[in-house]
Every structure is written in structure tokens, then in C-alpha cells.
Amino acid sequence: MKDPDHGEKPSESGASAAGRSDGSKLGPRNGKGKRKRRKSSASPSAIASQSGAAGTAGRPAGDNEAEPARKRKRRRRSKSAKQQAAVASARQDDREQFVEPSLGERKGHKRSKKARHRRGLQGRPLTSGERQPTQQRAGDGNGSTRSGSSASNAQAGAQHRPGQRAEQPRAPYVAAGEPPAPLYAALDLGTNNCRLLIAQPTRPGQFRVVDAFSRIVRLGEGLGASGRLSDEAMERAVEALKICASKLGARTIRRSRLIATEAARAAENGETFLERVARETGLDLEIINRETEARLAVSGCSSLVDRETRSVVLFDIGGGSSEIAVIRIGDSRSNRLANHITHWTSLPVGVVTLSERHGGQHVTPASFEAMVQEVEGMLARFDSPPVEALANGASGSGFHLIGTSGTVTTLAGVHLDLPRYDRRRVDGLWLTDDEVSAMQARLLSWDFNARAANPCIGPDRADLVLAGCAILEAIRRRWPSTRMRVADRGLREGLLTDMMADDGAWRRSRPRRHQRGSNASGSHEGNKP
């Protein structure tokens, strides 16, 4: 047998015979008349595996028998260090080879405690910068191969032999090609933005974002006046969708859903535009109705509703429409928050359409109030329970608002005085009623240049943010609440949640140990909706 570190070794019996043939002694006798047998430099596993082979034992038989034991130990340590360095160099050259464990490891022999903390799976010291390898898992629990695995992973799995372990170390979630869990993709082409999320399920009801994309395209620019999508707007949207198509084509997606909302829904040439998108990008987008849009917005924000909350008014202020849903949870809470929607509406007004009608660059208190009153007139036709029926008790502690849009996330970023928009600090933030009023008054006091200079607004949103604040103010007047929760999430998260739930992605497998500390809702920094 060959030792993986030292090569083939002669047996002990052969070494003893060679020592007696040239007249050398086995060693001095001790006080009881027994001879001390000198230890061989060969490893115990190699000696035990070679019985009856002829040759010389670990060191030459003619060496001085009176050599101090300290020198012999130093020589053995030096020789062992050189052999370990040679093995480490060989592993560096070919990291994907499989090495058979030694006999001592297979039989459960104990390692030295001195170097146990620096030993890998095979019991050999790790080289500098090398991490503990993890055993490759080629399929899930039911035997099917995980989506997203690359060809190199499949080849490595085919080379695996019983009793062997892979030497290639990998960090959590990192593989040669794709993440090990199945991937889901959601694309939302709205009136103002084009957004994409690619994610994989983790803990029940949650997922980890693998890739994200967001770009302001203003597809609905001029739609309110002409009723059609302009050529410039369609060109901007197609260019953004080409980037999304390249991201989707670079990965193995298990399931995807690509939607278009109000701009494509209301435009006369909306269907013609989507045919052009399919022809030039290969993406097949579907136009969803307003009810589906409201339900998706609720599904994306389900994790932000506290357990003690009895009712919620959730609103999504978009570019061309605004969806509002009244949610009454009661005593029994379903796994899908959208099942608790009792009333919903979709206002045919958004930040783009409202700012085009009233002007978005130079907004005065009078023009701001005119925008608020227009939205209030639309809400007056919405038949929904009064806020007293939604609140739990006189304090109203069981009722609050949830806002998911660029408007509320902008207010949160300005409130926090962020030097750069940070989704991790904004998503899930609570704002009191007084704080929201103060932020709206602060934005209204700024001119267009001041709004554009703010890092949480920027020049692309400077003419839209006050129109969004007017829609928000009308909602707050209809449903007064002492607090509002900010959600940096929306239709994409709702699409992913629904697809994963329909596939049973959270029922089939439990998350790995290293997934427990991950940000399950995803960390797509800088991708502000």
C-alpha cells in the first residue's frame, strides 16, 4: 500500500533482517534484560500496511547507535516537514484530485492534539490561505440535480469515488458556475422603472437575492397627453430589457415571470411594444391587471406585518397608477397575506402622470394642495371601512400603514440624512406621523436644484418626488395612523414569493446551517425601486 504523504515503505520485518545481516545491534538492553526497539522513521500506517517486504527500514542500518535521541527526533521532524511541503505543493497544482485516506484515518486513529486545529479533512496540515473544504452535494434530497449547477460541478461529481473526499474548498453559496439552490427571476416593467430580481429560496417565506437590476426608463412619459408610448421611451425601455435578458441568459433559471404594468396596460400601442420587446430581446412580458398588481404588492410586503397587527392599509405609489389594499388579519393568519385583502383599489394616477399635469419642477404649496385634492377625489369613490373599524381600541395600536414605493423610501432616506441611499437601513423603517409631515414640509421647501442635489433623490426623481408626496398625503388623510412602515420592496418580491410558494420551494428542503445568518430578503444595495 502507498502512504499518501510518503510513498511506498518497506516492512518492519524486512528492516530487522537487514539490520542483523550487517552485524548491527537492535539497541541496548534495559534494566530488566529486554532490548529497546528503536522507532522507525516510517509512519505507523505505512509500516502496518507492508508485511514481509524486503529493504531497509526508515534510516540506514549502519547509523551510529549511540546518536542522541534529540538529534534523531530533529532529523525526523525535518524530513517530515519536507515531505509535507511536497504534498502541499502537489495539492496546489491539482486542487480537484481525490486522495484516499490513510489506514490510520479509516480505522479512527487519533491525531496529535498539537496540530489538530490546522488539519483538513484528510488529517494533513492546510497550506497558507487554504480553507476547510466542504463535501460537494450534487443533488437535493429527492435525487434531482439542483438547478444552476454547472458542467464542472457535474464532472467533479462523476469523478467522485467511495471513500474519497473533494479537496476543492468553497465558500457558502459559491460553486464553480451557479449557486446550488434553484433560481427564480422576476421582472417588473413599470411606468417609470425597469426592475429585475434573481433569487433563491432560503428560510420559509424568505429568499436570498443573487442578482438585481434597476433603471429609470420613464416608459409612460407623455402617455397622459397622447395615449401612446413615445419612440424615445420605448427605446430606453428596450435597452434596459436587453441588459435584463443578458442577466437571465447567463444563469439557469428554474422559473421566471416577467410583467408589465400601467404604461403598457393603458397605451394604445402597448401590445405592439411588447411584440417588439420579444423580437429584440427574447423576453415575453405579460400585462397584468390592477387586481393582480395589488395582490403582488401585498405578497411582497408580508414579512413587514407584525404578529400583533390586526389590520393594515398597504399602498404602492407607482409611476402611472397607485394600488391600495385594506388587509384585515383577524385571529387566524394565513401563510399568504394577500388572502386577507378585504378591499382594494387602483387609482389611475401615479408620480409621472400627476407631475405632468401639475408640474413637477416648480411646486408651490398651492399646486401641491391641488394635487392632494385631486387624489382625495379619487379616494372618495373607494368604498372601504373607516379607520375606526380598522384600529384595535382607542389607541389604534393594531392598525398602521405600509408604504412601498420610491416616494416613501425617499422620505426615509431624507429623514435619516443618508449620504448615499442604503436599502438595509430603509427597508422596514418605522416613521411616526409627525416625522412624515416634517419630511414632506422639508421637501416642499426645497427648489428643484436642492432636491436634485440630495443623494437619496437625485436628478432623475427631483421632479417626481413631490407628486408622490401629494398621493401619500391624500392616503394619510383618508386613513390617519400614528405610524407608517417603509418597504423597499414591491411587485418583484411578490412575484418571487408566489412562485416559490407554488413550487413548494420552502417545503422540500430545510436551509443549510450557513444560511441561518443570511439576509433572507436579499441585499441588493443601491437598487432603489
Side-chain angles (χ1 to χ4, degrees):
M1 177 178 178
K2 292 185 179 181
D3 187 281
D5 289 340
H6 303 285
E8 189 169 351
K9 299 285 182 160
S11 66
E12 184 183 21
S13 59
S16 302
R20 288 192 297 268
S21 63
D22 60 357
S24 61
K25 298 179 179 180
L26 289 176
R29 296 177 179 269
N30 58 14
K32 295 182 181 181
K34 295 182 180 179
R35 291 189 179 93
K36 286 185 178 180
R37 187 176 301 277
R38 186 171 58 254
K39 293 183 179 179
S40 172
S41 61
S43 63
S45 60
I47 294 174
S49 62
Q50 300 291 337
S51 59
T56 59
R59 55 188 298 261
D63 283 356
N64 186 8
E65 298 296 337
E67 183 181 20
R70 187 175 302 172
K71 289 186 178 181
R72 294 199 301 270
K73 290 181 180 180
R74 272 201 301 265
R75 176 156 44 206
R76 286 197 296 268
R77 284 198 298 266
S78 175
K79 183 177 180 181
S80 177
K82 291 179 181 179
Q83 292 168 339
Q84 291 172 359
V87 172
S89 176
R91 290 205 310 270
Q92 187 70 20
D93 294 337
D94 190 1
R95 302 295 296 271
E96 295 186 356
Q97 283 191 354
F98 297 93
V99 181
E100 182 178 340
S102 62
L103 179 64
E105 284 187 305
R106 292 202 309 268
K107 291 186 176 181
H109 288 195
K110 294 183 179 180
R111 302 190 191 102
S112 172
K113 293 183 179 180
K114 185 184 298 183
R116 186 177 297 176
H117 68 285
R118 288 290 297 161
R119 292 183 177 270
L121 292 178
Q122 303 300 326
R124 296 186 296 277
L126 298 172
T127 58
S128 177
E130 185 177 358
R131 300 197 305 178
Q132 197 89 353
T134 57
Q135 189 172 2
Q136 181 181 354
R137 183 179 179 180
D140 57 13
N142 56 9
S144 61
T145 304
R146 289 182 178 269
S147 174
S149 61
S150 64
S152 59
N153 282 346
Q155 183 178 2
Q159 294 174 353
H160 186 76
R161 298 290 183 270
Q164 297 172 335
R165 294 181 178 178
E167 284 283 313
Q168 184 179 5
R170 290 189 301 272
Y173 294 108
V174 177
E178 289 290 336
L183 296 180
Y184 294 80
L187 187 147
D188 169 25
L189 179 61
T191 304
N192 194 46
N193 285 63
C194 176
R195 307 180 183 98
L196 171 70
L197 274 186
I198 301 175
Q200 56 185 181
T202 54
R203 290 177 289 184
Q206 299 179 350
F207 55 83
R208 170 184 174 267
V209 175
V210 175
D211 199 359
F213 174 78
S214 179
R215 175 176 291 183
I216 295 177
V217 296
R218 297 212 178 192
L219 180 61
E221 187 177 41
L223 177 62
S226 64
R228 296 177 59 86
L229 302 176
S230 65
D231 294 337
E232 295 80 5
M234 289 189 292
E235 188 65 30
R236 291 193 298 265
V238 168
E239 291 302 319
L241 291 171
K242 287 180 179 178
I243 298 176
C244 297
S246 64
K247 289 179 174 290
L248 293 172
R251 300 179 182 275
T252 302
I253 306 298
R254 176 170 186 167
R255 188 176 175 188
S256 63
R257 192 174 180 188
L258 320 176
I259 65 170
T261 56
E262 181 63 24
R265 189 166 54 216
E268 296 176 2
N269 57 342
E271 292 287 350
T272 304
F273 167 67
L274 295 188
E275 292 175 1
R276 175 187 172 185
V277 169
R279 185 171 59 252
E280 297 187 17
T281 67
L283 301 179
D284 187 13
L285 276 66
E286 61 170 315
I287 299 177
I288 61 173
N289 56 37
R290 289 188 171 94
E291 181 180 1
T292 302
E293 189 171 354
R295 292 182 65 87
L296 289 175
V298 172
S299 297
C301 301
S302 58
S303 62
L304 295 181
V305 178
D306 292 339
R307 286 292 177 183
E308 63 272 13
T309 300
R310 314 302 294 175
S311 56
V312 170
V313 171
L314 186 145
F315 58 91
D316 181 7
I317 303 175
S321 65
S322 298
E323 281 66 42
I324 303 172
V326 178
I327 305 166
R328 307 188 72 173
I329 300 174
D331 295 331
S332 59
R333 178 167 178 168
S334 171
N335 291 330
R336 295 194 180 187
L337 188 65
N339 295 337
H340 296 285
I341 297 176
T342 59
H343 301 76
W344 71 274
T345 186
S346 179
L347 306 181
V349 64
V351 295
V352 175
T353 54
L354 194 62
S355 63
E356 287 181 350
R357 285 202 293 267
H358 295 268
Q361 291 192 1
H362 307 288
V363 181
T364 63
S367 61
F368 180 80
E369 183 63 26
M371 289 190 285
V372 175
Q373 291 180 2
E374 180 181 344
V375 180
E376 280 186 312
M378 298 178 183
L379 286 176
R381 298 188 291 270
F382 176 40
D383 183 18
S384 69
V387 68
E388 293 78 13
L390 299 176
N392 183 21
S395 62
S397 59
F399 165 73
H400 65 84
L401 299 174
I402 293 182
T404 165
S405 67
T407 298
V408 293
T409 56
T410 297
L411 285 175
V414 174
H415 169 71
L416 296 173
D417 288 326
L418 298 178
R420 180 179 177 272
Y421 184 81
D422 188 351
R423 179 187 184 273
R424 295 170 297 181
R425 298 187 60 184
V426 169
D427 186 47
L429 178 70
W430 287 100
L431 293 176
T432 65
D433 184 64
D434 293 338
E435 289 172 341
V436 176
S437 299
M439 289 304 102
Q440 289 187 165
R442 184 179 178 185
L443 291 178
L444 188 58
S445 66
W446 291 352
D447 59 7
F448 176 81
N449 294 330
R451 296 194 301 269
N454 187 276
C456 293
I457 302 176
D460 293 333
R461 296 179 180 271
D463 60 335
L464 305 177
V465 63
L466 286 177
C469 289
I471 300 174
L472 172 61
E473 179 63 21
I475 294 173
R476 293 173 62 219
R477 291 180 185 179
R478 175 67 186 271
W479 295 281
S481 177
T482 58
R483 56 181 184 156
M484 179 183 73
R485 196 163 198 185
V486 179
D488 188 349
R489 57 187 72 192
L491 301 185
R492 296 174 300 172
E493 288 79 4
L495 290 169
L496 292 172
T497 301
D498 286 353
M499 286 187 291
M500 294 175 185
D502 291 341
D503 284 356
W506 294 303
R507 293 197 302 267
R508 279 196 296 268
S509 59
R510 298 180 62 183
R512 297 179 183 178
R513 184 174 300 175
H514 60 258
Q515 290 177 338
R516 294 175 184 172
S518 63
N519 185 7
S521 63
S523 58
H524 45 294
E525 292 182 38
N527 291 307
K528 182 179 174 183

